[in-house]
Structure formats: C-alpha cells, structure tokens
Amino acid sequence: MSLWFENQKENPILCVSAVNMDERKTLDDRAKMTELERLRHSAAHVMATAILRLWPDAQFAAGPPVENGFYYDVDLKHRISPEDFMAIEAEMKKEIKANHPFEKIVVTREQAIADAQAGRLGALGARPGNPSVFKLGNLEAIPEGEQITYFKNGDFVDLCAGPHVMRTGNIGAFKLTSVASAYYKGDERNPQLQRIYGTAFKNKTQLDEYFKMLEEAKRRDHRKIGQEMGLFAIDTEYVGPGLPLWLPKGTAIVEELEKLAKETEFAAGYVRVKTPHIAREKMYLTSGHLPVLYAESMYPPMTLRAESGKKVDVEAQARSIEQSDQLLRENMEKIFPRLKESNYSLQEFEKDFWQKPEQVRIHLEKSAIATVFSKSKWAQLPEPDRYYLKAMNCPHHHRIFAAEPRSYRDLPLRLAEYGTCYRYEQSGELFGLMRVRSLNMNDAHIYCTPEQFAAEFNAVNEMYLKYFKIFGIDKYVMRFSTHDPSRLTGDNAKFVNEPELWKQTEDMVRQTLIDSKIPYVEVPNEAAFYGPKIDVQVWSVIGREFTLATNQVDFAVPAKFGLTYRDKDNSNKTPLCIHRAPLGTHERFIGFLIEHYAGNFPLWLAPEQVRVMTLGEEEPLVNYAKAIVNELRANFVRCESDFSSNKINGKIQDAEQAKVHTMLVIGGRDMEAGNVSVRLHGKGNLGAKPKAEVVADILQSIKERRA
RNA sequence: GCCAAUGUAGCUCAGUGGUAGAGCAACGGUUUCGUAAACCGUCGGUCGCCGGUUCAAUCCCGGCCAUUGGCUCCA
C-alpha cells in the first residue's frame, strides 16, 4: 500500500507508504486494511498452516500483506526452496477447499503467554518443548491495555490482530513466488529467518494479469534495456562490481542531464567548481566521516609514505607481516644476508637490491620484500599518510569556502559540481545502475545565513518540482528525515552529537515545509549524520521505489572545518550549509529514466536522436541524405545514417529496435520534391514533409526539451 | 556483510561423466529494396575462476568471484 502525491498540494501532511503492514502498526491502521490486503493476510495464515503440515516444528514470526502479496517469516531447519512450492501450494489448496472460518478469539495476556510457551501460537496445536519464541517476542511488543487476539482457521491458531476474510475459501487465486531471508524484526542482531513470499488475488484472472505485469516490468528493466541499447556496461572482472562504464549512447544522456542542470543552476545563481576524487585522511577526520560515522561506506585508504624517495604501501606491509612465513624469509636471507642484521635500513637494502642481477630481481615481489624487511622496521615507520576516495563532495566544497575570506555579502554562496563519489556499498546491495559504488552526483552546497535559510531551502524544493515536470514524474513523496536522540553517542552512534542544533534545524525545516505547503512525511532516524534531510522518493513505472533527489541541512560540518564569514557587525559567524542533489546521481537517475520511458526517450534525451536512411545506394540520393545528416550534426543533433545495401524494411527494423527517436527515410521521390519522410519510433510513418520544416521542428523540439 | 538461487558464443537460450550446439548479432559475398527482418556463406566458446573425485569433469564435490531475489544499508 503506497500512497503518493499526484503533484497536488491539497493535503499538507501525509501518511506513510506502508510497505509493511507489520505486527506493530496500530490497531487503527490495521482496521484500514483493504479487502485485498485482508485476503493476502489470510493467505499468509493459510501458507503457515500448509508449512506446518509439512514441517510441524516450523516457528513463525510475522506474516503481513505487502504491496504485491504477502509473506510469512519462518524459522525452520529445512531450507525451503522453490522446489517445495508445489507441495506447500497443494496443502494450501486443501486448507482453502476445507473452507474453514477465520475465528477471532480474545484472550488475556497471561493466557497468550501460556499458549506461546506451550508452542501453541503459530501452530496446529501444542508443541511441548518447542515454545513459540517469536510470538512471545511479538507479545511483548503489544502495549499494556491493548486487546490481545488470536485468529484460528482449522487447527491453525495464531497471535494476530486481524483482520481476515471470513473463510479460507474466500482466498481466490494464489501463488508462492520466492523465498528470501530476513532478520527477525528487521534487526541484524536477531536470528535470520526464511521469508516465503506469495501473492494472492480474488480470482485467477487477476492473478494472471499480475504475472503479465511482472513480465512487462521485466521488459522495462533498466539493466535489460541498458544492455540492448548500449547505454552502459558493468565489467566486474576488470573494472569492478558497482562501477558502471558509460558507453557512448549512455554518455549522451549523461551529458544532456548535465546540460540541463548547468543551465538551471546557472539561472538560479550557482557557481561551478571542480574538485579531485581523493583527499587526505585529515579531511574526513575533520568532517566526521571518519573514524565512525561514515567509515563503513568508504573505500579503504590508499596509504602513502615517502621514504628514500619511494612510495611504500604501509598497509600492505602490515598485512604481510602478519602473514609472513619463515620459508620466505629464509629464501630472502639467502639472497640478502644482511637482512639478518637488525640495523639494516631500507636505503641500504635498496642499494643492495639494485646490485643484484636482473634475473634475481625479477623474482622478488615487492610485497615479499616488504614482508621480510619491515618485520624489524615496522615500529620505526612514521605515521602513515592516508588518502581516501571521496564518498561525498561536501568536504572539498567546504575547503573551497575556506580558500578565500568570506563576507556576508558573498552569501548565499552556491557551489555546484557534478562530482564523482565512491562509496563502498556492501556487496549484496549493488543493483544495476540503481545502487553502485561510483556515482556522479548532481551536487551543490549552499552556504547561507540562518535568515536566508528558508528561501534557499524552498528554492531547492522548487527546483525538484521543475525537474519533475520536465520528466513527467508525478508519483513522489517528500520524506523528511530526522534524527534519533538515542543514537548521538555510544557504539551505534549515527549522528553528530549536537542535540540543540538538531532540534533547531529540524524545527526550521519542518516550519519551512509547512509554510510552503509542500506535502511530506516525517521519518525518524533516517537523517544524514550531519543534519536533517528531505529525500524525494519516487516510483518507476514498474513499481520500483527509491530515493532520487535529496535536500539536506548541515549545521555541524562547517563549524568543524572552522568555516566563517564576516558579518555586518564585524563578527565571524559560521554559515549553515544546504546539501542538495535534485537529480540525485546520474547512475540512479538514468536508471530510473530508462524504466520510466521504457527506453523510449524524448527527442532531447534520446541517445540516437535521428537516423537517416536511404532507399538504395545511388550516389545522388546518398549525397542528398548526407547533406541532411551534416546539417543536423552541425546543429549538434545526434544523427546517424544507414546508407547500406539493406532493404528499407530491414533498416527500419534495426532503427526501431535501437529505439531511434526520429527516422528519416529518403527515396528518389523525396529527393526530387526536397522532402524527407518522417517516421517516429513506436508511432509509425508520418509521411513526407519539406526538409527545412522537419529540420526546424527537430531543433525546436530539442531546444524546448519537449516530452 | 547475511540467506537462497543462478553463471554455457557479443545477446537470448538448448545440452551431455567421453574436451559443446541453435537463433540473432558480427564479418564476406549476392541483392537495390517505399516504412518492423532479402538470400548464401564464414567466424566465434579455458562451458565464471581455483582445487578435488575420476582413465576422463562443462556436468559430481569443495572453495572463491560475480549476478539476481530478499534482509540490513542508501543517492
């Protein structure tokens, strides 16, 4: 159940996209379950019933309806695989055929605890010695005074607040879809359970439609289309997982987006900067990314240290020392007897090294030398000099702010950059272009005074809306993320420890949102480490949901860098900083656009905007066609040609499959009349038109960024 | 990172304990075609990587890597 806003500003505050109708929603929320959700919730119970018939010792945790179906989390020794689905579905059918009523039973907390301990909850009967452990946990989460209920279908009794359909027979058509894993209550410290997914509908027709829709979604998948259209490639073997290569066609889109951003930002008073991709450790110790708050999302450092004019990889040495083996050392000592001397320095070693014959040197790996040599030297090495790949652009921008003295007259200062960042996302999180390790952010940092904050923050929000209009994005939610005070300090600290500033800035953002009447939802505990933020969550047409744009407040880091401006009263003050990325990253944004348009990009974005093809290869005809190609290319239109000996149907087939936006088909008749025949991708033949008119229309459409 | 599934030619996919096939693409030739596939031929693979079992492994077993579906995390 996802709620979104259809680009309207009617209801100022709004409800949550309840992806999980989970155990701990309020009873009120649960009562709002739609008919279909009830049906799926009931299907989850029936599935549990079936699983218990096959594996009586299964322990169940939570089994809610979700956006496209339902799941039930189960703890079971047997690993359920899709091969088991048939058997489970067969048991489910029996339960549905039996048409048991769903009976609601009200019990006392004492009774519920006793039943759980007897293993009777989420079970077909009492299971001595096998208590319903997860149900006990769920019981604890139910507030005092709230009614505790069971639902019973046939022999199966479950702790459940409902609601359900009347009878098992009301579950029309269902199918198990996948098995995944999930932590109990979503917490990775809890045991890992098997999550069995299924879906259910009122009838077979709707179920079939759903699977058809999934097929359609597969066709639109950005990974598939990106591959077919030659937009990007991910070369895990040579480049690395999560590090996409933009092929020429994809780069065309990248550059159109950058052009759009640059024009928009220029008009909004931004200035552009450029920064390197790496920085020294001090940068991130100062910003707070290191040592804790962002460390696990960063690539490990490159460690450099100058010694006798050579770069030495100190970290590699350290690792090698730990693993060094005696044999290696002995072999090395045969070649370099002085290694046995404790005061043998690296400089001396180097001299000796270069005196050895090449055949010897060639077999000595650098790391082997480091291993043997540094064993005694390690303690003498100076502090390593570490460089990190940047995970964010802000620290570099802060240093640009610091590069010159600033006056209140300079503010707001808006520094923009399409900056490339590198984040070490966990391996299981990588996903096509949507979740990658190298990302190009449509980034900018706005340094302003508290008085300027609301106007600047709003201007950023307005910029989102402007972009969304261009791309026809009408399903989105603004998510206002705040901090969790319990995570300012301690082992699982997630936010900078500035409780007062958190409160002030969160109030400020909330007020700005309310004043501007932008609909939003508030989500606790999801702020950036340096301040509250607004993310814009969108849904691609195939129902994939993710965060595109972001607008974040930073009250903490400018102060850590000692950034100040001279105010009217001649005092030095710390600016506020707004981090914003309305187009998110190229990777995710283009991934989204591919699915949004199903690869059928509007003319201005299309990788290949125009293809000119001829009927035949006669010279005059080809020359006429070439002149058109040249004219378009002279106007920066991405125009290709097909003058091959292929038949026209074949050429058209090729162009349609390549999703070329505009196809210009030229034969003798067109040439004689000074015409071209226009065919639009997916729209068929529009017939012959005067050449000049067609060219002008193409240029105009691109200029206006027509949808 | 965790759980599960998957990995065969550029792409989509067959297949087998005895060192592999199809269609499309690519390349060469023939064809000169008015809006979604003209015809013929050729090339193309360390069957993800490493190890084990076996006379013999792409197939069986183990480890690793990657992808996918989720979990956790996030632009």
Side-chain angles (χ1 to χ4, degrees):
Chain A
M1 183 189 78
S2 298
L3 294 177
W4 53 75
F5 303 100
E6 303 277 347
N7 211 3
Q8 290 158 11
K9 293 189 179 176
E10 282 149 19
N11 320 343
I13 306 275
L14 256 304
C15 5
V16 175
S17 101
V19 175
N20 281 9
M21 222 354 143
D22 220 332
E23 306 294 289
R24 271 335 307 149
K25 292 279 177 257
T26 66
L27 288 176
D28 257 9
D29 283 343
R30 298 189 68 111
K32 287 180 198 147
M33 254 195 220
T34 63
E35 215 182 312
L36 186 59
E37 281 165 344
R38 269 170 212 238
L39 185 150
R40 288 169 173 174
H41 186 193
S42 301
H45 279 227
V46 168
M47 179 173 77
T49 312
I51 290 173
L52 281 164
R53 295 225 186 275
L54 297 166
W55 298 280
D57 57 339
Q59 284 292 353
F60 289 89
V66 287
E67 194 162 358
N68 291 312
F70 61 89
Y71 66 78
Y72 217 127
D73 285 344
V74 57
D75 185 31
L76 181 61
K77 261 220 194 79
H78 172 78
R79 294 263 150 227
I80 294 181
S81 82
E83 281 153 32
D84 298 318
F85 286 177
M86 280 254 270
I88 299 171
E89 284 170 353
E91 287 297 329
M92 288 175 72
K93 278 179 190 146
K94 283 186 207 162
E95 179 65 17
I96 288 171
K97 201 168 176 198
N99 203 16
H100 292 125
F102 278 95
E103 298 169 51
K104 181 173 175 177
I105 302 162
V106 179
V107 292
T108 62
R109 185 173 290 264
E110 293 67 36
Q111 176 69 46
I113 291 172
D115 285 339
Q117 276 163 350
R120 197 173 281 139
L121 297 185
L124 300 175
R127 296 183 293 184
N130 192 6
S132 308
V133 280
F134 304 112
K135 298 295 172 186
L136 272 172
N138 294 351
L139 267 170
E140 281 165 23
I142 299 176
E144 277 306 326
E146 197 171 280
Q147 196 178 58
I148 293 176
T149 56
Y150 294 167
F151 270 82
K152 178 176 186 298
N153 55 287
D155 299 329
F156 182 70
V157 175
D158 202 0
L159 172 70
C160 177
H164 282 278
V165 292
M166 297 298 288
R167 312 187 74 94
T168 56
N170 297 12
I171 298 165
F174 70 91
K175 194 164 174 47
L176 301 191
T177 51
S178 65
V179 54
S181 88
Y183 299 106
Y184 178 52
K185 295 189 173 175
D187 188 328
E188 63 184 329
R189 290 166 296 190
N190 285 340
Q192 199 157 35
L193 307 172
Q194 303 186 59
R195 176 168 292 182
I196 323 295
Y197 280 93
T199 191
F201 288 88
K202 257 187 229 161
N203 54 52
K204 179 93 168 55
T205 318
Q206 288 178 8
L207 184 74
D208 291 346
E209 272 169 25
Y210 171 73
F211 281 100
K212 252 187 231 157
M213 196 201 78
L214 284 186
E215 283 301 306
E216 171 60 22
K218 258 193 195 162
R219 269 193 290 277
R220 277 183 180 246
D221 192 301
H222 75 279
R223 291 165 299 185
K224 185 174 158 66
I225 292 178
Q227 152 89 290
E228 287 165 355
M229 291 180 72
L231 302 180
F232 65 92
I234 297 181
D235 179 348
T236 57
E237 194 180 353
Y238 287 86
V239 185
L243 303 171
L245 298 169
W246 288 107
L247 306 179
K249 293 253 168 82
T251 305
I253 303 175
V254 165
E255 297 203 333
E256 284 297 340
L257 290 181
E258 289 193 8
K259 206 166 124 200
L260 171 66
K262 285 173 185 174
E263 286 172 19
T264 310
E265 286 162 8
F266 183 82
Y270 288 68
V271 289
R272 305 202 75 77
V273 294
K274 285 239 170 231
T275 61
H277 294 195
I278 63 174
R280 303 179 94 170
E281 185 176 37
K282 182 174 184 179
M283 178 82 101
Y284 302 107
L285 287 171
T286 306
S287 68
H289 287 78
L290 300 176
V292 179
L293 295 176
Y294 211 74
E296 57 177 51
S297 295
M298 293 178 73
Y299 270 90
M302 287 161 267
T303 306
L304 308 177
R305 185 172 63 87
E307 190 172 63
S308 66
K310 262 187 104 177
K311 303 257 163 65
V312 176
D313 187 335
V314 176
E315 297 291 336
Q317 288 186 4
R319 283 194 301 275
S320 304
I321 289 164
E322 283 162 21
Q323 302 159 359
S324 73
D325 72 57
Q326 197 52 38
L327 192 64
L328 178 70
R329 184 164 183 102
E330 282 163 14
N331 284 337
M332 288 287 286
E333 284 173 355
K334 278 179 202 155
I335 305 171
F336 301 102
R338 290 194 62 202
L339 274 170
K340 290 174 193 153
E341 299 170 20
S342 62
N343 60 346
Y344 187 40
S345 74
L346 185 57
Q347 284 94 328
E348 290 172 286
F349 169 77
E350 264 186 56
K351 270 185 217 153
D352 295 347
F353 176 80
W354 288 107
Q355 281 164 8
K356 293 288 171 191
E358 195 180 354
Q359 303 93 291
V360 172
R361 293 203 312 265
I362 216 157
H363 292 294
L364 295 174
E365 278 192 24
K366 223 173 134 189
S367 61
I369 295 168
T371 301
V372 173
F373 181 77
S374 58
K375 220 164 197 174
S376 57
K377 293 278 120 185
W378 176 247
Q380 298 169 32
L381 296 176
E383 273 300 293
D385 184 8
R386 298 198 177 94
Y387 282 77
Y388 282 83
L389 277 166
K390 67 180 174 184
M392 294 181 185
N393 299 305
C394 33
H396 284 81
H397 289 187
H398 293 336
R399 295 317 298 165
I400 289 178
F401 185 96
E404 296 175 61
R406 305 290 178 181
S407 141
Y408 73 95
R409 295 177 208 270
D410 299 328
L411 305 185
L413 176 67
R414 309 181 188 91
L415 302 179
E417 175 178 17
Y418 249 108
T420 309
C421 298
Y422 300 87
R423 297 186 181 173
Y424 192 77
E425 302 290 351
Q426 297 183 66
S427 58
E429 284 161 356
L430 299 176
F431 174 69
L433 279 184
M434 303 298 195
R435 200 62 188 280
V436 292
R437 286 180 176 163
S438 68
L439 34 132
N440 263 269
M441 272 215 262
N442 166 226
D443 214 354
H445 296 91
I446 302 172
Y447 300 87
C448 64
T449 66
E451 296 73 42
Q452 292 166 333
F453 174 81
E456 291 299 318
F457 198 77
N458 260 326
V460 170
N461 288 337
E462 293 296 323
M463 196 181 278
Y464 293 153
L465 303 180
K466 184 186 156 161
Y467 284 139
F468 287 3
K469 205 169 165 196
I470 291 175
F471 295 105
I473 299 171
D474 52 12
K475 292 181 183 177
Y476 60 87
V477 166
M478 295 244 184
R479 293 163 61 89
F480 170 36
S481 301
T482 57
H483 79 300
D484 175 349
S486 73
R487 298 191 67 181
L488 292 171
T489 55
D491 286 348
N492 67 341
K494 189 176 167 186
F495 307 110
V496 290
N497 190 11
E498 301 277 2
E500 262 309 300
L501 288 170
W502 275 108
K503 190 181 174 325
Q504 282 172 26
T505 45
E506 284 174 2
D507 288 348
M508 196 158 70
V509 172
R510 195 179 291 108
Q511 197 54 47
T512 309
L513 282 166
I514 292 168
D515 290 348
S516 64
K517 299 197 166 50
I518 292 175
Y520 70 96
V521 296
E522 195 162 323
V523 275
N525 195 27
E526 288 192 11
F529 76 78
Y530 45 69
K533 64 175 180 176
I534 293 180
D535 288 322
V536 185
Q537 193 172 19
V538 300
W539 284 263
S540 80
V541 260
I542 66 179
R544 208 169 260 154
E545 159 246 301
F546 46 87
T547 305
L548 269 194
T550 185
N551 188 2
Q552 316 180 348
V553 190
D554 181 350
F555 54 77
V557 185
K560 288 172 188 267
F561 277 98
L563 303 187
T564 57
Y565 62 94
R566 186 62 58 92
D567 208 352
K568 283 177 198 165
D569 61 4
N570 202 28
S571 67
N572 284 328
K573 290 188 177 148
T574 304
L576 270 176
C577 178
I578 298 174
H579 304 234
R580 39 110 286 174
L583 295 176
T585 64
H586 282 323
E587 288 73 18
R588 188 173 285 181
F589 200 78
I590 292 175
F592 167 80
L593 287 181
I594 292 169
E595 297 185 357
H596 183 65
Y597 291 121
N600 306 316
F601 293 97
L603 185 59
W604 71 278
L605 268 179
E608 187 175 342
Q609 294 173 309
V610 179
R611 186 178 295 183
V612 175
M613 40 200 134
T614 50
L615 285 107
E617 298 172 283
E618 291 85 22
E619 203 169 304
L621 188 63
V622 168
N623 287 341
Y624 176 73
K626 273 185 185 163
I628 296 169
V629 172
N630 289 341
E631 184 179 351
L632 288 168
R633 292 187 66 89
N635 285 287
F636 301 101
V637 177
R638 294 182 290 275
C639 176
E640 303 294 333
S641 56
D642 184 352
F643 304 150
S644 70
S645 66
N646 226 350
K647 301 262 195 282
I648 195 61
N649 277 336
K651 296 186 187 187
I652 284 171
Q653 166 94 6
D654 289 346
E656 288 283 358
Q657 281 178 351
K659 298 179 184 287
V660 176
H661 185 281
T662 299
M663 287 153 274
L664 302 180
V665 178
I666 300 174
R669 293 209 299 265
D670 300 300
M671 180 171 66
E672 278 156 33
N675 280 348
V676 294
S677 292
V678 180
R679 179 186 172 99
L680 296 184
H681 172 58
K683 299 201 176 92
N685 185 8
L686 304 186
K689 292 179 182 179
K691 187 198 80 172
E693 190 184 301
V694 171
V695 171
D697 192 53
I698 287 171
L699 297 182
Q700 192 59 25
S701 171
I702 293 171
K703 195 177 164 198
E704 288 174 17
R705 298 194 169 99
R706 265 183 224 158

